[in-house]
Amino acid sequence: MVTCVPASEQISCADGEPQVYCPEDTGDTEAVRVTDCGSPEDSGRQNEPGSCNSEDSGQLMASYEGKARGYQVPPFGWRICLAHEFAEKRKPFQANNVSLSNLVKHFGMGLRYLKWWYRKTQVEKKTPFIDMFNSVPLRQIYGCPLGGIGGGTITRGWRGQFCRWQLNPGMYQHQTVIADQFTVCLRRDGRTVYQQVLSVERPSVLRSWNWGLCGHFAFYHALYPRAWTVYQLPGQGVTLTCRQVTPILPHDYQDSCLPVGVFVWDVENEGDEALDVSIMFSMRNGLGGEEDAPGGLWNEPFCLDRDGKTVRGLLLHHPSPPNPYTMAVAACCTADTTVTHITAFDPDSTGQQVWQDLLQDGQLDSPAGQSTPSQKGEGVAGAVCVSSKLPPRGRCCLEFALAWDMPRIMFGAKGQVHYRRYTRFFGSDGDAAPALSHYALCQYADWEKRISAWQSPVLDDRSLPAWYKSALFNELYFLADGGTVWLEVPEDSLPEELGGSMHQLRPILQDYGRFGYLEGQEYRMYNTYDVHFYASFALVMLWPKLELSLQYDMALATFKEDLTRRRYLMSGVVAPVKRRNVIPHDIGDPDDEPWLRVNAYLIHDTADWKDLNLKFVLQVYRDYYLTGDQGFLKDMWPVCLAVMESEMQFDKDQDGLIENGGYADQTYDGWVTTGPSAYCGGLWLAAVAVMVQMAVLCGAQDVQDKFSSILCRGREAYERLLWNGRYYNYDSSSQPQSRSIMSDQCAGQWFLRACGLGEGDTEVFPTLHVVRALRTIFELNVQAFAGGAMGAVNGMQPHGVPDRSSVQSDEVWVGVVYGLAATMIQEGLTWEGFRTAEGCYRTVWERLGLAFQTPEAYCQQRVFRSLAYMRPLSIWAMQLALQQQQQQQQKGGGQPPFTQSTGLSTEPECGPKLSPER
């Protein structure tokens, strides 16, 4: 007999018919009905209090037809209905997007790249550090990643799919694993009445499962490091709220490194009947790709009872070399819940065995013992189920943890074994997955309290717009999901000869470990320093010891050299990989052996770049200013002297101002700069000014006098050669683009103000000129570009047409825009700063569907470039600028903004005004 819900309660979804799910073989189950979903008559609750903030979500929630608000879902963050479809489908930047004139300019580089790419992929069988032929395709699906800093990450998309994986360090796999799902089962009076995979997918495998959840009755809300997915189950009077928690905890150097995530399911019964509710978490062992094909994968159940908490679940053992790991799918066992499991099933079959097992009684069979190791070409998956009773009008809580233990890693060269940071606390034997999951389920409530305490000052500040609150926290995803590694540093790996000059080198690296994150998920280089210049605000404000660790690594690399000669792709010139006393471009490629072999980047010889050395000096002083660590400053002083001495060779005419070399010799590596330039010249003057301040602190009068003299001459030359009355010219060449308005021209002033300098007695750039330039940038690069709705274009001609002289001048760089916005805030142009940054957020997160994969760049039309990029972390410079405003108001300025605090202000001096249309 099959009992179905009356027709009056049947609800259809979109263009589908009402579904009554009648399994082929119900076994002993008397009856079951599983609906799809559809649209209730009342769909107009979008402006109800506590529902969707229209300013924050707009069209992203326009298709949400449910009434459910979810359990304790916060008002601020990024919110999207699971039925939403992005209208705009952009493509990655490709060669055919280059103009004919620029194609001609880069023809030689293209040929050299093609030859190098062929050798790398076909001969060496390696993946290029930048693959121009195989860009990651557009997938508008990503959500908050799981996992702390440096232990690998797993991304669960906003529609519920597990879809992006970074378990092997720095190497990404972008694929949805169909078996990795949550399934709900509802039972009334001993009968299953509803069973549904909580996924909008309709896959070709596991076809016995009930797929095709209607997205119109569910929404996703992200406020990193937490996320909420709310499912209203039509016709059932039940709302599910899945809360995802990851331990990203500022100033915490223990729990923040753990490779874990927690899923807390709050189930609300809005009806007058009692229910039995079950949530099943199924997980494939591996991703179903080449790494799984040899077989030998196996699962086993486990139970860990410790400190009054019992955790049960499955261990998925994945012993494949070179980086074997074990994943734990676990659940909390309480007096009110029952935890059951199925050890192994075939994820490529129809899945009927698992489905019927759950359908029969809302639980799984829980066989004892481990599974047989998988055969070659076979897949294996397992599932854990938590069941509880739900009283009428009641709520219950079901808790899961996902943990993975890959303690020992080798990078692509397979040269040496490294130990992840978390092994300091959980051991390196590869048996920590049960303890990790148990710890996560014991600690997540405390993590949430700490996350709330950290975020509340910003979220509660009524002067800050909703989009900013979302952007500030959600952009932090990249600190964990930037291919990030956080490694232990063995005692014998540090050079003895630097012990005398760098007193804190060993304590910092040994106490806090070694940190690396990629330039971008597609630009595979660790700690790319010209870009870290922008992103580093997030690190120094939230985990300052990791910033100092990174700086010590850069200092070590600066004094080393690698005289191996190679051909650089842009110029064709053969030169050494790394020269002494210059800052490296990056610390290496995870597919090679980073830290041992630096400068994976081989497009330009960056020893001749004009910005890297300057950015080191500026960051050293900023890091000292924000941390108050005098020992760090003293350790870095000799390094700063060495790199500034190297930099002086670029002042050819001894006027106190360096010259660019007539090629793209800075972070804009496709935009030629000749002679004195606004960007590099400004960074130079700022670095010289900082050297004067450091010389005072270090008691070096001769150095102070030397750099004071350079600063005096350089300021005069900079103003004379570049200031035109409205802004600083791009450069001083005779090229047409020399009068372009560069959005990043005030980068030197930005850093000076972040260091508490740049005004009064420490003024370098005339304040009136800085403010005038920023107003010009806002007028032309922002307001005259794309209607003012897409941020600031890198280059704009004085008559209001984007500079298309290069492949980068007509792009918007999101991280540069956030830095520009911070500069505007510093100079009192607060409304302009927020308006500028808002264009980027709304373009990336709301229009282009690039949430949790913020790109380096996009153009006004058609393309984006380099998904999931480091530079947008610079939004934390906006927060620092706001905080400094507040401190200046309260204390009159002059003190470091914070030392080991949350790095957050509660009220800026002059809150951003809302846009006129709001």
Side-chain angles (χ1 to χ4, degrees):
M1 169 180 147
V2 175
T3 304
C4 296
V5 173
S8 61
E9 291 185 39
Q10 290 182 358
I11 301 174
S12 63
C13 178
D15 55 358
E17 292 297 318
Q19 287 194 2
V20 176
Y21 184 77
C22 301
E24 298 172 13
D25 179 9
T26 59
D28 295 331
T29 305
E30 214 174 38
V32 63
R33 186 264 177 186
V34 185
T35 67
D36 210 332
C37 65
S39 309
E41 292 181 3
D42 177 15
S43 61
R45 296 125 331 274
Q46 266 185 253
N47 294 320
E48 287 184 2
S51 184
C52 177
N53 184 312
S54 59
E55 178 195 352
D56 197 25
S57 302
Q59 290 301 309
L60 300 183
M61 285 294 289
S63 54
Y64 182 61
E65 298 178 355
K67 296 180 180 179
R69 302 172 186 175
Y71 182 73
Q72 294 186 348
V73 180
F76 298 109
W78 181 73
R79 187 174 294 188
I80 185 168
C81 175
L82 268 59
H84 182 78
E85 291 289 343
F86 289 94
E88 189 166 350
K89 308 288 184 184
R90 291 202 169 196
K91 295 184 180 299
F93 180 87
Q94 302 283 359
N96 60 3
N97 300 117
V98 181
S99 68
L100 182 59
S101 61
N102 283 318
L103 204 58
V104 171
K105 291 178 188 177
H106 297 297
F107 182 73
M109 186 269 189
L111 289 180
R112 285 185 286 271
Y113 177 84
L114 181 61
K115 182 178 179 180
W116 172 83
W117 181 89
Y118 180 84
R119 184 177 71 250
K120 179 68 68 172
T121 59
Q122 305 304 311
V123 178
E124 299 177 20
K125 305 297 183 184
K126 304 285 278 185
T127 56
F129 75 98
I130 296 177
D131 195 336
M132 296 182 182
F133 298 109
N134 296 290
S135 298
V136 174
L138 174 66
R139 299 180 73 200
Q140 298 162 314
I141 62 173
Y142 297 113
C144 277
L146 291 153
I149 298 172
T153 45
I154 300 171
T155 298
R156 186 171 185 242
W158 52 268
R159 287 196 174 105
Q161 65 276 65
F162 290 80
C163 52
R164 185 169 66 195
W165 309 78
Q166 189 256 144
L167 298 178
N168 287 315
M171 309 300 288
Y172 279 83
Q173 293 167 285
H174 298 81
Q175 61 190 87
T176 296
V177 181
I178 291 298
D180 298 354
Q181 300 290 346
F182 287 101
T183 297
V184 61
C185 175
L186 301 180
R187 292 172 58 80
R188 289 187 175 93
D189 299 324
R191 295 180 298 122
T192 299
V193 296
Y194 183 92
Q195 189 161 301
Q196 172 75 50
V197 184
L198 296 172
S199 168
V200 298
E201 304 271 358
R202 295 180 183 273
S204 58
V205 296
L206 301 176
R207 299 193 67 171
S208 291
W209 297 17
N210 192 46
W211 298 90
L213 175 81
C214 180
H216 291 282
F217 286 84
F219 69 85
Y220 178 85
H221 185 96
L223 189 65
Y224 187 75
R226 294 189 290 174
W228 295 255
T229 313
V230 177
Y231 306 88
Q232 183 177 349
L233 305 183
Q236 304 303 316
V238 171
T239 298
L240 311 174
T241 303
C242 175
R243 187 168 79 258
Q244 175 183 312
V245 184
T246 289
I248 299 294
L249 308 163
H251 306 288
D252 180 293
Y253 299 89
Q254 177 171 327
D255 288 6
S256 291
C257 72
L258 301 182
V260 299
V262 175
F263 297 97
V264 183
W265 289 83
D266 287 291
V267 187
E268 298 174 275
N269 182 5
E270 297 149 18
D272 296 324
E273 296 181 71
L275 281 171
D276 292 326
V277 60
S278 301
I279 301 287
M280 180 179 76
F281 186 7
S282 55
M283 200 83 184
R284 183 175 188 134
N285 189 335
L287 311 187
E290 294 180 2
E291 293 179 352
D292 304 350
L297 314 181
W298 55 284
N299 304 340
E300 64 172 330
F302 78 93
C303 177
L304 182 56
D305 189 350
R306 180 187 293 172
D307 301 327
K309 175 89 73 173
T310 301
V311 169
R312 298 179 184 273
L314 283 181
L315 299 177
L316 314 181
H317 298 285
H318 196 281
S320 301
N323 298 319
Y325 65 92
T326 295
M327 189 165 288
V329 181
C332 196
C333 195
T334 69
D336 299 321
T337 61
T338 302
V339 179
T340 56
H341 70 270
I342 183 166
T343 309
F345 68 91
D346 182 355
D348 301 312
S349 68
T350 65
Q352 185 166 340
Q353 171 197 355
V354 183
W355 191 258
Q356 294 299 327
D357 189 359
L358 182 64
L359 193 66
Q360 186 168 346
D361 58 4
Q363 298 183 13
L364 300 174
D365 283 346
S366 299
Q370 66 187 48
S371 68
T372 303
S374 63
Q375 298 298 306
K376 183 176 181 179
E378 289 182 350
V380 61
V384 174
C385 178
V386 186
S387 308
S388 184
K389 295 189 179 299
L390 193 55
R393 305 288 174 179
R395 181 181 67 85
C396 68
C397 180
L398 311 177
E399 303 158 303
F400 291 91
L402 184 64
W404 51 99
D405 183 24
M406 184 190 283
R408 301 178 299 278
I409 59 169
M410 286 194 289
F411 292 108
K414 302 177 184 176
Q416 64 184 88
V417 174
H418 303 267
Y419 293 87
R420 295 197 192 263
R421 167 75 174 180
Y422 76 87
T423 60
R424 173 175 297 208
F425 314 108
F426 284 86
S428 59
D429 294 333
D431 58 0
L436 282 165
S437 58
H438 185 280
Y439 185 79
L441 288 167
C442 288
Q443 295 297 317
Y444 82 84
D446 179 63
W447 294 342
E448 289 198 278
K449 289 178 183 177
R450 293 162 66 187
I451 291 168
S452 293
W454 160 44
Q455 295 182 339
S456 291
V458 169
L459 301 181
D460 295 343
D461 188 340
R462 296 173 64 87
S463 74
L464 297 174
W467 69 262
Y468 173 75
K469 297 173 183 181
S470 173
L472 184 70
F473 294 111
N474 283 325
E475 290 289 7
L476 278 177
Y477 83 95
F478 195 83
L479 277 182
D481 201 20
T484 311
V485 288
W486 189 355
L487 306 174
E488 293 288 272
V489 180
E491 169 73 27
D492 59 5
S493 70
L494 297 175
E496 293 289 341
E497 64 271 16
L498 291 176
S501 60
M502 292 191 191
H503 298 283
Q504 292 187 177
L505 170 67
R506 291 178 182 276
I508 287 287
L509 289 175
Q510 291 183 336
D511 291 349
Y512 297 100
R514 174 165 278 155
F515 174 84
Y517 64 151
L518 297 177
E519 179 178 336
Q521 291 179 8
E522 294 191 81
Y523 287 12
R524 207 183 56 242
M525 296 159 282
Y526 275 130
N527 297 350
T528 300
Y529 203 72
D530 57 301
V531 183
H532 176 69
F533 176 74
Y534 298 81
S536 59
F537 282 88
L539 203 60
V540 73
M541 291 175 72
L542 302 175
W543 290 273
K545 297 298 185 182
L546 291 185
E547 168 67 8
L548 299 189
S549 170
L550 186 154
Q551 294 282 57
Y552 276 103
D553 270 335
M554 278 293 162
L556 287 175
T558 297
F559 288 138
K560 294 178 181 177
E561 63 182 1
D562 181 349
L563 299 180
T564 306
R565 297 179 70 80
R566 64 182 179 187
R567 188 174 302 279
Y568 288 93
L569 301 179
M570 185 66 77
S571 65
V573 169
V574 175
V577 170
K578 168 68 173 64
R579 291 183 234 172
R580 193 184 306 276
N581 291 346
V582 294
I583 299 296
H585 172 274
D586 60 83
I587 218 73
D589 178 355
D591 203 28
D592 184 27
E593 192 62 61
W595 285 279
L596 178 63
R597 285 185 287 277
V598 304
N599 280 349
Y601 179 87
L602 47 64
I603 295 176
H604 295 283
D605 178 3
T606 58
D608 286 330
W609 272 20
K610 307 307 181 288
D611 60 340
L612 288 169
N613 294 336
L614 307 174
K615 288 174 174 177
F616 179 80
V617 172
L618 288 168
Q619 287 183 78
V620 163
Y621 188 80
R622 186 223 35 209
D623 294 347
Y624 156 72
Y625 175 72
L626 295 183
T627 64
D629 191 331
Q630 295 182 357
F632 166 75
L633 182 69
K634 291 179 180 178
D635 281 355
M636 293 297 117
W637 176 237
V639 192
C640 292
L641 287 171
V643 299
M644 286 300 282
E645 190 65 33
S646 294
E647 189 76 15
M648 287 182 192
Q649 66 177 304
F650 302 127
D651 181 7
K652 304 294 185 184
D653 56 7
Q654 300 299 302
D655 65 348
L657 189 63
I658 62 170
E659 293 88 38
N660 288 87
Y663 72 102
D665 53 356
Q666 23 71 38
T667 195
Y668 297 87
D669 57 354
W671 195 358
V672 171
T673 316
T674 304
S677 69
Y679 182 69
C680 290
L683 292 174
W684 162 257
L685 292 179
V688 170
V690 158
M691 289 296 290
V692 172
Q693 298 296 318
M694 287 195 284
V696 173
L697 293 166
C698 294
Q701 184 65 49
D702 56 338
V703 177
Q704 179 186 345
D705 293 343
K706 174 182 176 179
F707 281 102
S708 294
S709 174
I710 294 172
L711 181 60
C712 184
R713 289 181 285 118
R715 288 176 58 188
E716 187 278 329
Y718 189 78
E719 296 297 323
R720 172 170 47 84
L721 294 172
L722 295 167
W723 179 251
N724 64 22
R726 296 178 61 203
Y727 58 92
Y728 293 99
N729 288 337
Y730 176 70
D731 65 22
S732 55
S733 71
S734 58
Q735 299 298 317
Q737 70 269 20
S738 69
R739 285 185 61 83
S740 286
I741 306 156
M742 186 189 201
S743 65
D744 210 4
Q745 64 184 267
C746 296
Q749 175 71 359
W750 168 39
F751 250 73
L752 286 176
R753 291 297 294 267
C755 297
L757 306 173
E759 60 181 338
D761 293 340
T762 60
E763 182 181 272
V764 175
F765 309 96
T767 300
L768 291 176
H769 289 187
V770 171
V771 173
R772 184 70 179 95
L774 291 172
R775 290 192 184 279
T776 301
I777 293 166
F778 183 72
E779 175 189 345
L780 290 171
N781 298 59
V782 179
Q783 297 287 66
F785 175 74
M790 295 183 72
V793 67
N794 281 340
M796 180 67 84
Q797 297 180 49
H799 55 283
V801 174
D803 177 352
R804 296 191 172 89
S805 63
S806 80
V807 294
Q808 294 175 338
S809 53
D810 67 344
E811 291 182 323
V812 175
W813 287 11
V814 180
V816 166
V817 173
Y818 289 150
L820 169 62
T823 313
M824 291 175 170
I825 294 169
Q826 290 168 342
E827 303 300 332
L829 304 177
T830 306
W831 179 83
E832 290 85 349
F834 274 82
R835 180 71 175 174
T836 297
E838 179 181 2
C840 277
Y841 174 80
R842 296 205 183 277
T843 298
V844 170
W845 289 76
E846 297 181 357
R847 175 179 154 195
L848 302 186
L850 301 181
F852 298 100
Q853 53 180 331
T854 304
E856 156 75 319
Y858 55 79
C859 291
Q860 184 171 351
Q861 297 175 329
R862 298 192 305 277
V863 298
F864 58 82
R865 183 170 59 79
S866 185
L867 289 175
Y869 199 76
M870 176 199 290
R871 204 179 323 245
L873 286 167
S874 61
I875 193 170
W876 278 82
M878 294 179 64
Q879 186 61 28
L880 179 62
L882 291 169
Q883 180 173 308
Q884 288 175 323
Q885 280 189 351
Q886 180 194 27
Q887 294 232 336
Q888 286 171 359
Q889 181 186 37
Q890 293 176 346
K891 301 179 181 179
Q895 296 297 318
F898 65 93
T899 300
Q900 294 290 341
S901 72
T902 61
L904 299 176
S905 64
T906 54
E907 246 180 37
E909 179 184 27
C910 177
K913 305 169 188 174
L914 293 178
S915 304
E917 63 268 26
R918 302 223 160 77

